[in-house]
Amino acid sequence: CPGHLIQAAVARLRTGFGSDDVIVRIALRNADHVCQTFGPDGQVAVGGHPEVEVALVELYRATGERRYLDQAQLFLDRRGHGLLGDWEFGREYFQDATPIREETVARGHAVRALYLMAGAIDAAMERGDTELLEIVRAQYDRTLARRTYITGGMGSRHEGEAFGEDFELPADRSYCETCAGIASVMVAWRLLLATGETSYADVIERTLYNVVATSPSAEGCSFFYANPLQVRVPGQESTPNELSMRSGSSLRAAWFEVSCCPTNIARTLASLGGASVTRSTQDPASLFIHLLSAMQIRTQVPTDDGEQELVVSLETDYPVSGRLTLRVEQAPSCPVSVSVRVPAWTWSGARLDGAEVSGGYAVVSGVLSAGETHVLELDMSPRLTVPDPRIDAVRGCVAVERGPLVLCAESVDLPEGMSLDEIALVPGAAPAIADDGAVVVPARRVPEAARRWPYSEAGSHQGCEEGGDQPAEVFDLP
């Protein structure tokens, strides 16, 4: 794929390699060939999988060559006019059914749709096209509000690896391809930079923890291609040296017939350092920490006496706990500002140095001194989350969340002889944190054998044997 090749070259250019680097040389020749072949006087065509648009804009940023930006915009303008013809899953599969300026929500193949959004945002920002930016932003916002799982995963249909209709979000049939999660992070990151709205950073964090990071095994030798939220039967072990169907097993596999996810995960994780912190373009003395993790930041701050170094560290074991310590190691003589994101789920329970914080960032500002520390405390109490009632597949269900994590009830954690289908939460009971850090949820058991019929009159207990509703020991979600 030319897009990934070009992005690899951009990464080389940004890390100090020059135009004589072999990967850079090959990618530049490839990009020039794309522009010559598919430019204004070339073939009127688009690629089957949007991605080259993002890469061409990135290459423009790295080289300053305007033709790469213009070619990206040309590809975007050609989309949605049926140039790729008809297809088994419809023109939406290739993002070729509706021009991007006329679309209202993500449709069709999830990864393709989100990559196209990312490319459109990049082109809009570089060309000053505020109209296109707002169109794509509205598409993504509607997709978040109506077509996104609680984990941040996207894509509810196995057929076509596609988005479903609004609120079509079945837990047991969720596709949620790992690459779609990565693509959503790409879009949210660009909108965070374009708008400054912390809600997009919240989406990034949720998706990273609950889709991207959970895909590979701890050993890094197997991965999830699809990420269902509910599995009804035990998964099957895969054979390490054989291909697995991309959605044919509920367990991680060493190699799927399409294995785009591992390399995509690798490049995403490798780039998180650059996505964690940004500096204001209006005020170079203002830093913003978007992703909460242990880190050290070194940057130069302009002063009246020339540039001086600012060094701060963030010490934390988040999301195990919600305590983050900002430590100033070296400070310039001028005022600076360091803003640490406060996730939306803790806005009512966040404190900076003991004072309540409201809004999206906790701000430390002024003339700082080496050695001073500031402590941000986030309320990490577990919480029960209910779905929009229009998501009919999970109506009447609750999810258990703690911090950015969506927790999972697993059969191996239940008391012996109890199945997940028998679990009902105790009405009015709240989840709590045990001494060992596990989240404990009071529950009751409704034995399967007590249900003679899966339907009953509203407000009645018809269908259960007398005494079938029994208290159960609490179960935990580690």
Side-chain angles (χ1 to χ4, degrees):
C1 173
H4 288 296
L5 171 64
I6 293 169
Q7 285 194 304
V10 170
R12 303 279 284 184
L13 289 170
R14 287 176 174 167
T15 51
F17 292 88
S19 58
D20 58 341
D21 177 75
V22 61
I23 293 179
V24 173
R25 289 203 318 269
I26 293 171
L28 288 172
R29 288 170 56 193
N30 183 275
D32 291 341
H33 178 67
V34 168
C35 292
Q36 181 179 1
T37 304
F38 301 104
D41 299 323
Q43 298 179 34
V44 180
V46 293
H49 198 308
E51 210 281 332
V52 73
E53 296 86 353
V54 170
L56 287 170
V57 178
E58 294 279 26
L59 189 59
Y60 159 71
R61 290 169 174 161
T63 65
E65 292 290 344
R66 179 78 184 192
R67 65 181 180 278
Y68 301 137
L69 174 61
D70 292 342
Q71 184 63 50
Q73 186 64 53
L74 186 58
F75 280 143
L76 290 167
D77 292 340
R78 287 174 178 171
R79 285 275 169 191
H81 298 284
L83 293 177
L84 293 170
D86 293 317
W87 175 250
E88 177 184 0
F89 301 131
R91 293 183 178 183
E92 290 179 346
Y93 179 85
F94 286 121
Q95 305 302 303
D96 200 29
T98 307
I100 193 166
R101 293 179 187 272
E102 299 175 15
E103 189 55 270
T104 59
V105 70
R107 307 177 193 274
H109 190 274
V111 180
R112 286 176 166 88
L114 294 163
Y115 275 9
L116 186 64
M117 284 187 188
I121 295 168
D122 280 345
M125 291 299 295
E126 294 302 325
R127 296 170 65 90
D129 190 341
T130 56
E131 179 187 46
L132 179 58
L133 175 63
E134 288 305 314
I135 288 172
V136 178
R137 180 184 181 184
Q139 292 171 13
Y140 187 67
D141 286 350
R142 184 180 177 91
T143 303
L144 286 176
R146 295 167 176 260
R147 302 187 176 192
T148 304
Y149 285 92
I150 189 172
T151 57
M154 292 188 175
S156 59
R157 293 182 179 176
H158 286 234
E159 183 179 84
E161 301 181 316
F163 286 98
E165 297 300 327
D166 288 353
F167 306 107
E168 182 187 332
L169 296 166
D172 55 349
R173 291 295 297 165
S174 57
Y175 198 70
C176 291
E177 183 185 337
T178 299
C179 285
I182 291 170
S184 179
V185 168
M186 291 168 57
V187 176
W189 167 243
R190 285 159 170 78
L191 289 174
L192 172 64
L193 294 181
T195 68
E197 289 198 9
T198 58
S199 61
Y200 296 118
D202 289 343
V203 171
I204 293 170
E205 181 181 69
R206 176 178 292 271
T207 309
L208 285 175
Y209 275 113
N210 298 292
V211 178
V212 180
T214 58
S215 174
S217 65
E219 299 79 15
C221 298
S222 58
F223 66 99
F224 284 132
Y225 186 100
N227 295 272
L229 277 69
Q230 179 182 4
V231 177
R232 297 183 180 275
V233 296
Q236 298 178 347
E237 294 285 350
S238 63
T239 303
N241 296 323
E242 294 182 4
L243 291 178
S244 297
M245 297 296 291
R246 66 184 78 181
S247 60
S249 170
S250 59
L251 297 181
R252 294 179 179 89
W255 201 248
F256 289 87
E257 60 176 352
V258 176
S259 288
C260 48
C261 303
T263 50
N264 219 355
I265 292 170
R267 72 174 183 131
T268 300
L269 297 181
S271 68
L272 288 184
S276 297
V277 184
T278 59
R279 185 162 64 176
S280 170
T281 55
Q282 286 79 31
D283 180 7
S286 295
L287 299 180
F288 293 85
I289 300 176
H290 306 293
L291 301 182
L292 309 180
S293 63
M295 65 180 75
Q296 184 188 64
I297 306 166
R298 290 179 175 270
T299 188
Q300 297 294 319
V301 176
T303 70
D304 293 338
D305 299 322
E307 289 192 337
Q308 296 180 12
E309 191 169 38
L310 170 65
V311 182
V312 296
S313 62
L314 192 64
E315 301 167 1
T316 184
D317 63 352
Y318 178 89
V320 176
S321 76
R323 183 181 177 88
L324 301 99
T325 300
L326 185 70
R327 189 179 305 278
V328 181
E329 299 180 13
Q330 186 173 335
S333 57
C334 65
V336 298
S337 172
V338 182
S339 301
V340 183
R341 181 177 61 89
V342 177
W345 45 261
T346 191
W347 279 5
S348 61
R351 293 185 174 276
L352 176 64
D353 296 332
E356 186 175 331
V357 177
S358 60
Y361 287 95
V363 182
V364 174
S365 60
V367 179
L368 306 182
S369 301
E372 69 177 88
T373 61
H374 301 272
V375 177
L376 175 63
E377 293 277 3
L378 306 178
D379 182 4
M380 299 289 285
S381 301
R383 59 196 186 276
L384 298 180
T385 303
V386 297
D388 187 301
R390 290 170 290 184
I391 307 175
D392 56 339
V394 289
R395 190 179 296 131
C397 298
V398 296
V400 183
E401 298 185 271
R402 181 172 185 261
L405 305 179
V406 180
L407 302 182
C408 178
E410 297 183 278
S411 56
V412 294
D413 297 322
L414 298 181
E416 185 176 355
M418 185 183 296
S419 73
L420 289 170
D421 289 336
E422 297 177 307
I423 293 299
L425 299 190
V426 174
I433 300 177
D435 292 339
D436 62 358
V439 175
V440 180
V441 183
R444 67 185 187 206
R445 181 185 187 187
V446 182
E448 291 180 343
R451 298 183 183 274
R452 296 196 304 262
W453 180 243
Y455 309 96
S456 62
E457 183 178 343
S460 75
H461 293 283
Q462 181 182 345
C464 292
E465 298 285 0
E466 185 70 25
D469 194 12
Q470 303 171 359
E473 296 182 7
V474 297
F475 66 98
D476 62 86
L477 301 96

